[in-house]
Amino acid sequence: MAEEMKAKLKNYKTAPFDSRFPNQNQTRNCWQNYLDFHRCEKALSAKGDDVSVCQWYRRVYKSLCPISWVTDWDEQRADGTFPGKI
Amino acid sequence: QNAASPIMEELIAFHDHALMIIFLISSLVLYIISLMLTTKLTHTSTMNAQEIEMIWTILPAMILIMIALPSLRILYMTDEFNKPYLTLKAIGHQWYWSYEYSDYEDLAFDSYIMPTYFLEPGEFRLLEVDNRTTLPMEADIRVLISSQDVLHSWAVPSLGVKTDAIPGRLNQAMVASMRPGLY
């Protein structure tokens, strides 16, 4: 499982087609991956597990989300005003 | 401009097809009008015109079907699921674009229009920019378009791409050029 993940991460070219978001509007795709990464990180670090499996979500949201959006959301999370549930 | 991507070729072919049909219809109508206006014969008792009414209902229906089928084919072709090779983000600002390539590291730069007084001879006025965006050819590229402030639109005519840049929304367009060049 972890080896497949590492292989996938090594061969990462760009965010692949996500069939949950097949249409032109990819805003939700970006948002969902950002949430998934931070939820994964929070859940696994609470249990003390290895966080590197969450790296897939991180690569995807980094590919998809504009950098300005990511910095805004990071600041909101630091302030506690982030609108999503993490 | 000439087509530089397979979709654009289809679009140009469809446009030629539809335009030919339009020319056909308009010349037919003009010819009939000219015939009507230049004849001394009159017919004042037109009551039962069943056959010609059938013709001029069925014939336009067939013409419309002939236009609609290629149109729908191209429409679905533009939405095809492609495996993108690279993701480019184009963010619109007033009055420049900023491009981000973040698949591996965050690479971002701004691209302003070259003011006319800086242009060398032979360069295109209002089309040259200071930092050009480079993309690999013959690769499907996903372009995600958004905006920071107001509505913009990102278009490359010879690749058949025009997508609106809306603040708060990421629009996806696929770009695949067949030839190297400056677009």
Side-chain angles (χ1 to χ4, degrees):
Chain A
M1 181 63 198
E3 292 79 24
E4 291 168 16
M5 203 50 167
K6 285 205 171 47
K8 261 203 323 191
L9 279 171
K10 214 159 54 126
N11 294 334
Y12 182 80
K13 287 221 180 87
T14 190
F17 173 69
D18 192 342
S19 57
R20 297 175 296 173
F21 312 102
N23 293 322
Q24 201 187 32
N25 188 0
Q26 296 285 303
T27 323
R28 209 73 204 164
N29 194 352
C30 149
W31 173 252
Q32 194 61 44
N33 279 293
Y34 185 81
L35 284 183
D36 287 344
F37 172 67
H38 288 98
R39 284 178 189 162
C40 171
E41 205 183 14
K42 181 171 171 198
L44 289 185
S45 53
K47 282 201 302 188
D49 278 339
D50 179 24
V51 177
S52 62
V53 295
C54 304
Q55 285 301 312
W56 175 259
Y57 296 123
R58 180 171 177 277
R59 297 295 298 265
V60 173
Y61 90 69
K62 277 235 176 278
S63 283
L64 293 175
C65 302
I67 298 178
S68 58
W69 290 8
V70 174
T71 38
D72 284 343
W73 291 338
D74 288 341
E75 283 169 9
Q76 284 178 349
R77 274 190 311 118
D79 288 339
T81 55
F82 186 64
K85 194 167 93 131
I86 292 194
Chain B
Q1 287 195 2
N2 284 336
S5 92
I7 294 193
M8 190 58 184
E9 283 182 353
E10 302 271 353
L11 284 172
I12 290 183
F14 173 66
H15 175 258
D16 292 342
H17 167 82
L19 199 63
M20 190 51 61
I21 293 186
I22 290 176
F23 283 158
L24 202 75
I25 297 179
S26 15
S27 53
L28 183 69
V29 169
L30 278 174
Y31 176 64
I32 293 182
I33 290 179
S34 66
L35 272 187
M36 293 287 127
L37 290 176
T38 57
T39 178
K40 290 218 166 64
L41 304 165
T42 52
H43 184 86
T44 52
S45 63
T46 309
M47 279 300 174
N48 195 341
Q50 196 69 357
E51 300 83 5
I52 196 169
E53 295 215 345
M54 282 268 262
I55 293 185
W56 70 39
T57 310
I58 304 284
L59 192 60
M62 292 201 323
I63 292 182
L64 284 175
I65 293 182
M66 268 180 26
I67 297 181
L69 287 179
S71 170
L72 287 174
R73 185 175 68 90
I74 295 182
L75 185 63
Y76 282 103
M77 196 187 290
T78 53
D79 270 348
E80 253 177 17
F81 142 56
N82 283 329
K83 286 210 173 86
Y85 181 75
L86 178 67
T87 302
L88 166 71
K89 280 171 273 178
I91 318 255
H93 305 255
Q94 282 186 311
W95 298 94
Y96 61 97
W97 288 96
S98 67
Y99 295 101
E100 296 172 12
Y101 299 76
S102 341
D103 290 323
Y104 303 103
E105 295 176 359
D106 284 343
L107 169 65
F109 56 89
D110 295 335
S111 179
Y112 286 82
I113 290 191
M114 270 304 212
T116 315
Y117 43 85
F118 277 143
L119 287 175
E120 311 277 320
E123 288 185 338
F124 301 108
R125 187 181 74 92
L126 292 185
L127 287 176
E128 290 292 338
V129 294
D130 53 2
N131 296 323
R132 290 186 186 161
T133 305
T134 325
L135 291 172
M137 61 177 251
E138 287 180 4
D140 288 333
I141 297 168
R142 174 205 268 132
V143 186
L144 292 169
I145 302 165
S146 181
S147 160
Q148 198 67 4
D149 38 29
V150 297
L151 294 179
H152 298 281
S153 175
W154 194 82
V156 182
S158 41
L159 298 173
V161 167
K162 183 181 282 185
T163 319
D164 289 336
I166 300 169
R169 180 177 160 121
L170 271 182
N171 275 332
Q172 172 176 290
M174 295 304 291
V175 157
S177 79
M178 301 184 305
R179 290 186 286 273
L182 179 64
Y183 298 116

